[in-house]
Amino acid sequence: MKKIALLLAFFAIGLQVLLAQTKEISGKVTSADDGGSIPGVSVSVKGTTLGAITDMDGIFKLKVPQDAKTLVFSFVGMATQEIAIGSQTVINVKLSSELISVDEVVVTAFGIKRKPKEMGVATAKVDNQELTTAGVSNVMNGLSGKVSGLQINTINNGIKPDTKITLRGNRHFLASNQALVVLDGVPVSATYLNSINPNDIDNVNVLKGASAAALYGNDASNGVLIISTKKGDKGKLTIKVSNITTFEQVSYLPNLQKRFGSGSSETTSNSDPNYTMWIGPDRNTDPYTSYENQNFGPEYNGQMVILGGKLVDGSYQMVPYTGMDNKRDFFEIGVSMQNDISISGADEKSNFYLSAQDVRTTGTILDDTNSRSSVRMAAGKKYGKFSADYTLSFSQTNTSQSGGDMNQNRPVYWNVLNTPAHVAIRSYKDIVNNPFATVDGYFNAYYPNPYWQIKHSRLNEKRNDILGSVLLAFKPYEWLEISNRSGVTFNTINNHNHKDEAIYNSYSHSDPWSQGHMGVTAPYAGNSSDQMSQSFILTNDLLAAFDKSFGDISLKGILGTSLYSRQDEAIFDAASALVIPGLYNVSNRVGEPGVAQGTAERNSLGVFADATIGYKNYAYLHFSGRNDWDSRLTKENRSFFYPAVDASVILSDMFPGLISNPVLSFLKVRGGWSQTGQIALDNWYGTLPSYPAAGGFPYGGNAGFALSTTLSNPLLKPEQTVEVEAGFEMSFMKNRIHLEANAYKSNTMDQTIPATISAATGYFSALINAGELENKGIEVDLKITPILSVGGFNWNGGINYAYMTSKVLSIMEGLDEIPIERSSYIVVGEQFPAIKVTDVKRDPDGHIIVDKNSGLPSTEPALQHVGHGNPNHILGVNTDFNYKGLRLSVLAEYRGGNVINNRVGNALDFTGISEHSALNGRQSFIIPGSVIETSPGVYTPNTTALVREASRQFWVNSSYHTTDRGLVTSAAFWKLREVALTYDVPVKAIFGGDVIKNAQVGLVGRNLLMLRPKANVWTDPEFNASGTTTNAVGYTTEDQTPPTRTFGFSVKLTF
Amino acid sequence: MNKKILALLISLALLGSSCSEFLSVNEVNPNSASKVPAKLLLPATLNNVANTMNNPRSFEFVYLWHGLWSISSGYSQPSGLVQYRLLNSSYEGAFNISYVVGQNLTEIEKGTTDPKDAGYKAIAMIMKAYIMHNLVDLWGNVPYSEAFKTEEGILKPKYDDQKAIYEDLILKLDAAIKLIQGLPADATEIPASADIVFGGNMAKWARFANTVKLRMLVHQSGMAGRDAYIKTAIATTASVGYLGAGESALSNPGYLNSAGKMNPFYATFYKADGSSQSDGITYYNAGKAAVTFMTDNADPRLGKFFNPYSGNNFAGNTLGITEPAPLTAANTSKLGYVSGSKGYMIGTFDKSAPLLTDFESLFVQAEAAERGYITGSGKTLYNSALTQSCIYMGLTSADGTAFASSEKTNVNYDLAPNKINLILMQKWVSLNGIAPVEIWTDYRRSGIPNFLVFTQDPNKANATPPVRLLYPQREISVNNDNVVAVGTISAFTSKIFWQNR
């Protein structure tokens, strides 16, 4: 009894303690402007995650600890207020509107911070939360779809996806169109973004047009991404730990047929008694060919057939002649594990941030791996008028991918596509012990086992990146600051690629199946190559900044100098025939080694001035001017001036009457003009004549050199981009709705073109300045916060849309077209790049003209212009739902207006596995909509001329196959880019909050869905076979594996 | 404070003073020279010409049309060739590369103003004449007077009259010979590493120049009223003489058994490790006309030009053959090859590449003698040509002598009813795989051999074969006004000026 009493007492005390620990506070939040209640205001206890949201009447109720001191009231578009609790239990608050809080700044060139309202040109900011919502390991992927006018193209799949990043489209024909990336004030190459831990990024400021970026001088014409990394936040030591684990799965394969098996006119010899050679009952298909890669054989019927041929020991394999989904089976589920830890802290005088990350990824192709380990430290300290900040980061990325095969150097995917559907591809994984998986035993006579290739042909890359920067500032007066930032980036990339020797046994070498087995031309010598390259970039910016007000006039000015110096080195060696297997060293070879070496340096200096004049905090005029001297051009042409001007007026402040109505709460108009230049010389010594070693030389003791076939041009100038833009920003309903729109037009002149010239000049091409490209566009951003707010439920949404178009105004006299690469062309009067493809002959209405006897089309000699490669419309839609720590965010993106040449379809038709190649059951057919030319210029619908060779002959040899028009489709797509469901675990309630301050768990997904026009049965139209360095787009091949979707979970803990 | 601003200004000034050095880093290219002496340009230039002339794919149409080679039955017959459907892009490589070579020769000429270096200049002039007359033989009117003039701002050179080009080249060859004859006693010696053809022997260069000149003049022998011009032109340099037996112009930079460093003809067929290139040896087979002609004549070189398909049996196909059915790959001879042996058509990785062989020179001289252009015995020159051809194909001088005296009317000079016909038939079969442009030129100007079938394809675009190549696609694209100014060009009717039949 006593014990029970004690226990009760204990409970009572405990209860009392618990009761004593919390109290309820309630109140109402109203607008200081009009007195109306404000729903959706976030009310939180300072320094905790405890909080509530006001209801539709602006009322909140919140249980707070007894010792809670301060409540924080915040709402988008309103000034945040902190109220001391004291002994109050009812707290009514009036919030006054403010477009953006005082702390909010736009970081522009050289880390210059400007208030958004001063900006006369379009900028956008993506913060860390937006960037990392879907657990990306790559910064670029996290930006896609989030900013109007920003286009991130993931041009291939794989463990190290290549991305291309452009702002407001392509301004240059052949020079790079990639946006300039500036990390903590240091310009870095766009590829460096693959090396950055996205969790280290505090925010990304996007300067869309050249105007905002003009101060960066050369390279700024493509817009700039300014990335700021995290610094310690004031308060206690914070430790964050997170894990993100995602799985990658092939999502969309091309539409394939599983109805017809292998055959390609050859007959199967070396047959076994069990096997009878047969052809399809209709005799339209080719006979079954046991070793064939092409699929023009008989229809699948389930009977047992020999696959491949007899091995040297007489063994052979029999398989059911039944189609399977073997192409999909081939691909693995990739796994990516991202582990992060960061420690940060700060006080009034100093701050520090330390982080480490490890990312390990396996790909959808077996054995493809990528790992990245990075560490980063940043710290700052103030001593009175001085302050010093530094950052230092290091990352190492190791990548291993499969290379080309030994025979034709084809990618793995090609060899998978050339595996007929009755071949259980995964059963040939064991290339050592399975006699039917070895080079000799594999069924396919013409293409090797992809698993052999995976094991024996590797592309390995190790990349090290070091980036460091030091910022020293001296602020002698409140109005003057002198600062100097030095940055160094250093990276090394080591590639070690090899392909092992493929030796066939003498039985295979003798071609026992007697159909030109690839073993006949064996041995395939092993080869290896190494490339080591390094790049060192030093930048130094010295700035003096003034900030002073004179009555109604405010004046901000900046004077500065900028220095850029870059040194690149590369060494390459290759052994084309290795001797000792498995030893990948250039000394292990016969014959001459391949060697190459290059070193290059370039320097530039700039001086600049920047001034912003403000009047009464509502009208601003901004000028900037920069002069560059760049070593890449000759003395006469190396100096170049970049002027820019922009202005903004906040009409709602200028005429307060405008916002006296309850709808409009903010209105700003703005406009800008700029002129920027870009030096487009891949070869930094391109103004000099050059005599490289002639082909084949040296031959032992004989050296020989020949003049370069490109005529050097000492008169080269930078390309010039003139851009004008205008826009407005409006907010409605107490800033709940924010709308921003811009229109721009840019003209890039004096484009650097390696123009093809008559060989009779003695040269094949000459670098010249000529041509003009015009870009126009509109960008619209709409944010609604909240769309709906009921109780604790909040729904926000936003839309960003960009319309872009371009027009080639001229190229050079007498020239109205230049090919770039593959299907991409520069064509006067058209958008850039124009896509031109081969086609079959058509009548004026576009119907295919066929021969009245054969039913076959013929090739049109002239290329057909079918559209352009860059999208005209990019639309991003994002929305998020929040309820008591549970948050669902969704981002979808649409692109359209452009076309794509799905050349992968050519590979599928060649091998006979495309779905459409089997639609007629390999029977004779009339080409739909075809016409016959009955007399010159007279066409009648074709109702009689059948394509009799409906099988291999048509899909492999006809003009339909050898031309590309049938593979061109709209490149439009909708993608569900990101879906993330996160939950903030109420750790305080569970654990008391002593150790774990925050905990978040989540489910994340990327690219879960893709919608394409029906005609595009091939692949992701975002892909591009031409790589990230050329401006050629709109072309896919079997070098890009099928698109994938990624999904997984995340756990984030804050201590 | 003022001190600090002063320090800042000083540091800015220092920065400024080192600017010019800082900004001049791209004025010297560390990766490749911006000027190269003739000694190092010449070998690359000679090698480039030899590579172009000896790449069988550049001139496969000649070998295929003229019954010397055929395409294996295992491959589809290329429709452009079997139906005479030449495109602007067909075989344009030689046009483009020749001008690039010409630019390098121009650089040599410009860089050798010192009279001591006249030897280099002479070689450059001779080689320019060599490539330019080939261009005329293939394309007729071509850019000449405005070619290689980018320094004068000419990016679209006009096309010159082909006959005028030929005549000017003759004068240039004369001038080159004169330069060689007038070389000072202390003339710069041209090392063998630079002169990969004659090892610096300028007398041979003079005879080579004179042989090229004779070849060009003999090309014009069918033209009406041209004899006086030809004879006068020959007479001016007759005393220099021509390339004689054993004086072949062969280029060899020091071929190595390594990818990209082998004899270009060999490299088309075999790799450094001895394995075969794809679509090389399996693609080209023996031509029926050549196999038949040589078999009929019991030619000892037959087994050198072609391999027996079995035992001692040789057979060739005709291009575009339909009737009778083509021979299978297994029953057709391949191009002559025995690993490691130079005396076969394909030869070895280190076999020298011919620019102009001694036996071609002798055939040209024999024809010139027969036509009364030069003194000397046609028979002696012809017999010497056959002997030298036999030696070139790995046989002996005795084999050649025996062959020349065989009782066949298509071999024996005395028995042949028409000497020119005999010389050109034997020249045709001797130059197989060696001098494709000459084979085509000889046929176009003479119609010899008269038994060639060219192609059997019934769908050929024209009854008679093309007489020229079409202007390259590149020229159509970027120099079209000048191409158009030449007039309408037909591959079948726009003959080269020396063709008179």
Side-chain angles (χ1 to χ4, degrees), chain A residues 843-1051:
Chain A
D843 74 2
D845 297 324
H847 301 116
I848 295 175
I849 304 167
V850 300
D851 182 87
K852 67 176 191 293
N853 300 316
S854 68
L856 290 170
S858 55
T859 305
E860 164 67 45
L863 293 178
Q864 301 299 301
H865 177 243
V866 290
H868 52 272
N870 281 325
N872 296 118
H873 308 275
I874 301 183
L875 175 65
V877 179
N878 63 77
T879 186
D880 60 77
F881 307 90
N882 299 288
Y883 181 72
K884 292 190 173 169
L886 193 64
R887 175 181 152 98
L888 173 68
S889 63
V890 178
L891 171 71
E893 188 180 4
Y894 167 83
R895 294 185 196 171
N898 52 334
V899 297
I900 181 104
N901 184 359
N902 296 286
R903 279 283 298 181
V904 66
N906 182 278
L908 303 178
D909 287 347
F910 162 81
T911 179
I913 57 168
S914 55
E915 185 179 59
H916 64 226
S917 77
L919 284 181
N920 288 293
R922 301 275 153 86
Q923 302 299 307
S924 301
F925 66 96
I926 290 172
I927 293 178
S930 58
V931 295
I932 291 170
E933 187 170 23
T934 49
S935 59
V938 180
Y939 305 95
T940 53
N942 170 26
T943 52
T944 51
L946 290 161
V947 174
R948 297 197 189 279
E949 290 174 325
S951 192
R952 184 176 49 88
Q953 287 297 331
F954 182 76
W955 295 107
V956 175
N957 293 336
S958 75
S959 290
Y960 182 81
H961 174 74
T962 55
T963 57
D964 284 357
R965 182 65 186 86
L967 302 173
V968 176
T969 64
S970 156
F973 65 78
W974 265 108
K975 280 188 189 176
L976 190 55
R977 287 272 183 213
E978 298 184 349
V979 177
L981 179 67
T982 56
Y983 178 60
D984 289 317
V985 181
V987 280
K988 288 244 158 111
I990 301 170
F991 304 110
D994 291 338
V995 182
I996 300 177
K997 287 185 202 145
N998 275 310
Q1000 190 193 65
V1001 292
L1003 296 173
V1004 293
R1006 281 191 56 77
N1007 295 329
L1008 297 180
L1009 281 174
M1010 169 167 69
L1011 304 177
R1012 295 167 292 182
K1014 267 212 179 87
N1016 183 358
V1017 297
W1018 291 287
T1019 189
D1020 186 342
E1022 200 182 333
F1023 287 175
N1024 176 17
S1026 302
T1028 55
T1029 52
T1030 78
N1031 298 325
V1033 291
Y1035 197 98
T1036 67
T1037 65
E1038 67 276 4
D1039 283 318
Q1040 298 85 50
T1041 50
T1044 59
R1045 65 169 63 93
T1046 308
F1047 48 88
F1049 55 84
S1050 66
V1051 179

Side-chain angles (χ1 to χ4, degrees), chain A residues 16-28:
Chain A
Q16 206 171 12
V17 169
L18 276 176
L19 285 172
Q21 276 177 332
T22 61
K23 64 177 178 183
E24 189 174 276
I25 297 177
S26 62
K28 182 171 182 177

Side-chain angles (χ1 to χ4, degrees), chain A residues 65 67 178 243 280 305 405 744 771 919:
Chain A
D67 60 350
Q178 294 240 46
N243 168 280
V305 292
D405 70 44
Y744 65 87
L919 284 181

Side-chain angles (χ1 to χ4, degrees), chain A residues 758-764, chain B residues 93-106 131-132 135 139 141-144 147-148 157-159 165 475:
Chain A
S758 164
T761 57
Y763 299 89
F764 290 160
Chain B
F95 183 97
N96 297 334
I97 290 167
S98 294
Y99 280 104
V100 165
V101 168
Q103 179 65 35
N104 284 278
L105 294 169
T106 307
I131 57 168
M132 286 306 307
L135 289 177
W139 283 279
N141 290 11
V142 291
Y144 178 66
F148 319 121
K158 69 166 186 172
Y159 282 57
I165 298 172
E475 289 295 295

Side-chain angles (χ1 to χ4, degrees), chain A residues 172 174-176 218-219 632-633 677-684 716-719 750-754 767-769:
Chain A
H172 308 281
L174 294 149
S176 168
N218 188 36
D219 301 339
R632 288 172 291 176
L633 300 180
Q678 174 155 347
I679 296 172
L681 269 179
D682 286 342
N683 173 6
W684 300 342
L716 272 184
K717 302 177 290 185
E719 300 184 357
D750 294 337
Q751 303 249 4
T752 305
I753 298 170
L767 280 176
I768 55 164
N769 286 115

